[in-house]
Amino acid sequence: MQIGVIGLGLIGGSVALAARERLDANVTGWDADPAALQMALDRGAIHVAADGLAAAAAASDIVIVAVPIARLADTTAAVLQAAGADAVVTDVGSTKTALVHAVTDPRFIGSHPLAGSESSGIEQARADLFAGAVWYLTPGPSSDGVAFERLHRFLVGLGAVPTAIDAEAHDRLMAAVSHLPHVLANILVARVYEALGGETLPATGPSFRDATRVAGANPALWAQIYAANAEALGAEIDATIATLKVVRDRLDKLEDWQRETETRHRALLESELAAGPLQELRVFVPNRPGVVADIALTMGHAGINIADMSLTPASDGRTGVVALWVAEADAQRARMLIDAKDLEAGIG
Amino acid sequence: MQIGVIGLGLIGGSVALAARERLDANVTGWDADPAALQMALDRGAIHVAADGLAAAAAASDIVIVAVPIARLADTTAAVLQAAGADAVVTDVGSTKTALVHAVTDPRFIGSHPLAGSESSGIEQARADLFAGAVWYLTPGPSSDGVAFERLHRFLVGLGAVPTAIDAEAHDRLMAAVSHLPHVLANILVARVYEALGGETLPATGPSFRDATRVAGANPALWAQIYAANAEALGAEIDATIATLKVVRDRLDKLEDWQRETETRHRALLESELAAGPLQELRVFVPNRPGVVADIALTMGHAGINIADMSLTPASDGRTGVVALWVAEADAQRARMLIDAKDLEAGIG
């Protein structure tokens, strides 16, 4: 099998590595940046560094276009022009409607792997990046069935879980699940920055830290994502404004809303993890190297898996809180094991 | 020293424990819930379970009112009526303006410790809860200077860092840092719940999980907090709506905004941690018990402190991503140590 990868960042590089290691494919790569191309060769991600985009596309059974969003449409068109009649072409952009509408070639099927951060380069690429990850496929009305089946089989071969979804539904979902959280994280940073007026942020517990973790992420990339998904993201922002207005007028009557959110939040997390209800344990710990390891090891030895965790240091730098999410069935046992450790003995 | 604690939840119970252990104080407690009162005795948090609020207040040099927000005003008034002429009375409510305006007794100074979760009970109380934590004091124009100084000294004795702040400024800050993040987390859950329409949430990486971690927190408590801080929170919501409208009209031109946010976010986190710039490392790991421990132990042995971390399992349940925040100066060494572990060997 001959694979062409156009754009050798984290995603493209990982596709190349996975195609070689898992499928024993021949991989030809191309990147506009000669340094990235050279590193892809050096890392063994690609067999051949092509002379240009057309050369990489022409020789391949499957071509993956993994360039920045702003260059997706042009690059995909150029690849389709160069590719053979039996080739399959896909992209990995994080929004799909515009491209799928623009490209009506039957050999093209849009796609989007939910894996990795698009902000990293070939240095972070790895063959197992897609292991178990959802990889959305957004075939359009003109997409060829045989091409779809070949792409699907290729993605399974990379270890991914290909999942077909309508392009518009995909973009609405990403707007809600990913793009709106980034917008709101940015706003929270602005509000707090203004409220502090130059004062130091007090140690406020996990709510602010967690809520703003993605604030200001990779500006060049995220500006492109916002722009590419402007329609769906705009609709999400409109809905958010509408809800904020309702909330603002009922600030003294929000218990039902809070309760409904609790139920929905739990339902979402449980559906994601598909591993039964979780329970949160909060553990106060001395904030020194090794403490988290100690707790995690204790859970590991007891066969208790930590589904999620967050560590928040206290302002004194000597103590902190670890929140652990474990299966409800394990929660009591986990609590007893932690209590038995007498962690506070380490706190002065 | 004779201390009275009215309301024996996490905060009240921890004040009691700390006052005994750190200051060798005599502690009298009262709680409307007989079970909480009994557990406070059983845990050794209080010496004496008072017959009623008045009895606990009358005998004490310092009285801490740690009841739910909705009962703060009435309870504080009753405590002041029963307390001696030289007593100092404070509360621990998470909003301050309304109470500080309502109570003009010179013996009263409002306060708010930034420690613990207000949702937990006496079971979670501990003597070191306030170690290094900011404890805001909001004296009003009628507050007595001697009373303020005594309360300040007492809080230092508990291990806290008392910090005076204007009540209105306090409520504005909490609205931005804590209450608005809860509102926005709730909205994100609603948006995603609607976008999914009953479908399963795909494994989306950390942005949605982190952004919604506090969604639907303790409905009874949070309904009270929203209501108590309605004015400041309303202003924050108005400002959020205004910004969302601007963002919505410029979705294709947000790179400068994203960049400004990146700078401010970094400045906020650095001011909070006061430990130099941090760098994020993302580590792909097999998602089995013991892996996080292994990484954390490796950091611990190398003397590298993990300032913050988040673990996100992939949808296959077999792999995941650990994000670690370490000092920039340690980042390269941490990366090398992690790479040397060859963690992916565990992934099938």
Side-chain angles (χ1 to χ4, degrees):
Chain A
M1 182 165 40
Q2 182 69 42
I3 302 296
V5 179
I6 311 298
L8 292 156
L10 170 63
I11 301 291
S14 296
V15 168
L17 283 167
R20 286 194 65 164
E21 289 190 24
R22 291 172 168 259
L23 300 171
D24 201 25
N26 266 306
V27 182
T28 302
W30 187 74
D31 196 291
D33 174 7
L37 194 55
Q38 186 59 48
M39 186 170 295
L41 271 176
D42 295 346
R43 288 207 53 191
I46 59 176
H47 296 83
V48 178
D51 285 341
L53 176 152
S60 298
D61 304 310
I62 299 177
V63 186
I64 293 90
V65 180
V67 300
I69 295 177
R71 300 203 331 255
L72 265 183
D74 286 354
T75 308
T76 302
V79 164
L80 283 163
Q81 187 144 20
D86 291 333
V88 184
V89 177
T90 189
D91 74 302
V92 296
S94 56
T95 65
K96 299 264 64 86
T97 306
L99 190 65
V100 166
H101 283 186
V103 182
T104 55
D105 192 301
R107 298 169 297 166
F108 174 72
I109 292 133
S111 79
H112 175 211
L114 297 186
S117 150
E118 293 154 277
S119 62
S120 308
I122 178 83
E123 302 82 358
Q124 305 279 326
R126 45 197 305 145
D128 60 16
L129 185 66
F130 309 110
V134 169
W135 191 313
Y136 282 123
L137 289 170
T138 59
S142 50
S143 298
D144 181 68
V146 173
F148 182 87
E149 188 273 342
R150 280 172 60 200
L151 180 58
H152 190 283
R153 191 146 24 93
F154 173 67
L155 299 181
V156 169
L158 299 187
V161 182
T163 307
I165 184 173
D166 179 73
E168 285 80 9
H170 170 276
D171 287 0
R172 282 199 303 272
L173 181 60
M174 288 301 116
V177 169
S178 170
H179 310 163
L180 182 63
H182 278 75
V183 167
L184 295 182
N186 284 6
I187 289 180
L188 281 174
V189 164
R191 297 312 313 144
V192 169
Y193 193 86
E194 195 167 304
L196 285 168
E199 295 281 311
T200 299
L201 182 68
T204 46
S207 65
F208 179 74
R209 298 167 66 88
D210 284 343
T212 58
R213 197 155 272 151
V214 298
N218 194 330
L221 172 75
W222 275 91
Q224 288 182 35
I225 293 176
Y226 298 145
N229 205 20
E231 192 175 328
L233 178 55
E236 287 299 325
I237 291 176
D238 287 341
T240 300
I241 291 173
T243 305
L244 280 172
K245 286 178 174 169
V246 173
V247 167
R248 203 230 173 293
D249 289 341
R250 303 174 49 84
L251 284 172
D252 57 343
K253 305 182 197 67
L254 291 179
E255 187 167 340
D256 288 349
W257 183 55
Q258 193 75 12
R259 209 171 290 284
E260 180 188 61
T261 304
E262 182 186 34
T263 306
R264 288 178 166 184
H265 187 217
R266 194 173 280 258
L268 287 175
L269 288 183
E270 284 165 15
S271 80
E272 180 185 20
L273 294 158
L278 296 177
Q279 188 166 325
E280 178 184 356
L281 297 179
R282 299 181 74 79
V283 186
F284 292 81
V285 295
N287 185 28
R288 58 166 190 254
V291 169
V292 171
D294 186 19
I295 293 173
L297 263 185
T298 302
M299 297 296 109
H301 289 158
I304 297 172
N305 200 30
I306 300 170
D308 196 5
M309 70 191 303
S310 96
L311 186 156
T312 309
S315 56
D316 64 352
R318 293 186 303 128
T319 61
V321 177
V322 178
L324 304 174
W325 282 262
V326 301
E328 233 169 50
D330 291 330
Q332 197 177 357
R333 201 157 49 94
R335 181 87 255 170
M336 284 172 59
L337 288 165
I338 288 165
D339 286 346
K341 302 192 77 63
D342 196 24
L343 290 166
E344 67 265 44
I347 306 179
Chain B
M1 184 163 43
Q2 182 68 42
I3 302 297
V5 179
I6 311 297
L8 292 157
L10 171 63
I11 302 291
S14 296
V15 168
L17 283 167
R20 288 192 64 163
E21 288 190 25
R22 292 172 169 258
L23 300 171
D24 201 24
N26 266 305
V27 182
T28 302
W30 186 73
D31 196 292
D33 174 6
L37 194 55
Q38 185 58 48
M39 186 171 294
L41 269 177
D42 294 347
R43 288 207 53 190
I46 59 176
H47 296 82
V48 177
D51 286 340
L53 177 152
S60 299
D61 303 310
I62 298 177
V63 186
I64 294 89
V65 180
V67 299
I69 296 178
R71 300 203 333 254
L72 264 184
D74 286 353
T75 307
T76 302
V79 164
L80 283 162
Q81 187 145 19
D86 291 333
V88 183
V89 177
T90 190
D91 74 301
V92 297
S94 56
T95 65
K96 299 265 62 86
T97 306
L99 190 65
V100 165
H101 283 185
V103 182
T104 55
D105 192 301
R107 298 170 297 166
F108 175 72
I109 293 133
S111 79
H112 176 211
L114 298 185
S117 152
E118 294 153 275
S119 62
S120 308
I122 177 81
E123 302 83 358
Q124 304 279 326
R126 44 198 305 146
D128 59 16
L129 185 67
F130 309 110
V134 169
W135 191 312
Y136 282 123
L137 290 170
T138 59
S142 50
S143 298
D144 181 66
V146 173
F148 182 87
E149 188 274 340
R150 280 172 60 201
L151 180 59
H152 190 283
R153 193 145 23 92
F154 173 67
L155 299 180
V156 169
L158 299 187
V161 182
T163 307
I165 185 172
D166 179 73
E168 284 80 9
H170 170 275
D171 287 0
R172 283 198 303 271
L173 182 59
M174 288 302 116
V177 169
S178 170
H179 309 163
L180 182 63
H182 278 75
V183 167
L184 295 182
N186 284 5
I187 289 180
L188 282 174
V189 164
R191 296 313 313 146
V192 170
Y193 193 86
E194 196 166 302
L196 286 167
E199 295 282 310
T200 299
L201 182 68
T204 47
S207 65
F208 178 72
R209 298 168 65 88
D210 284 343
T212 57
R213 197 155 271 151
V214 298
N218 194 329
L221 173 75
W222 275 91
Q224 288 183 34
I225 292 176
Y226 298 144
N229 205 21
E231 192 176 328
L233 178 54
E236 288 300 325
I237 291 175
D238 287 342
T240 300
I241 291 172
T243 305
L244 279 172
K245 287 177 174 168
V246 173
V247 167
R248 203 232 174 289
D249 289 341
R250 302 173 52 83
L251 284 172
D252 56 343
K253 305 181 198 67
L254 291 179
E255 187 167 341
D256 288 349
W257 183 57
Q258 193 75 12
R259 210 171 290 284
E260 180 188 60
T261 304
E262 181 185 36
T263 305
R264 289 178 166 186
H265 187 217
R266 193 172 280 258
L268 286 175
L269 287 183
E270 284 166 15
S271 80
E272 181 185 22
L273 293 159
L278 296 177
Q279 188 167 325
E280 177 183 356
L281 298 178
R282 299 181 73 79
V283 186
F284 292 81
V285 295
N287 185 28
R288 57 165 189 253
V291 169
V292 170
D294 185 19
I295 293 173
L297 263 186
T298 302
M299 297 296 109
H301 290 158
I304 297 172
N305 199 30
I306 300 170
D308 196 4
M309 69 190 304
S310 96
L311 186 155
T312 308
S315 55
D316 64 351
R318 293 186 305 127
T319 60
V321 178
V322 178
L324 302 175
W325 283 261
V326 301
E328 235 170 49
D330 291 331
Q332 198 177 357
R333 201 157 50 93
R335 182 86 253 171
M336 285 173 58
L337 288 166
I338 288 165
D339 285 347
K341 302 192 76 63
D342 196 24
L343 291 166
E344 68 265 43
I347 305 180

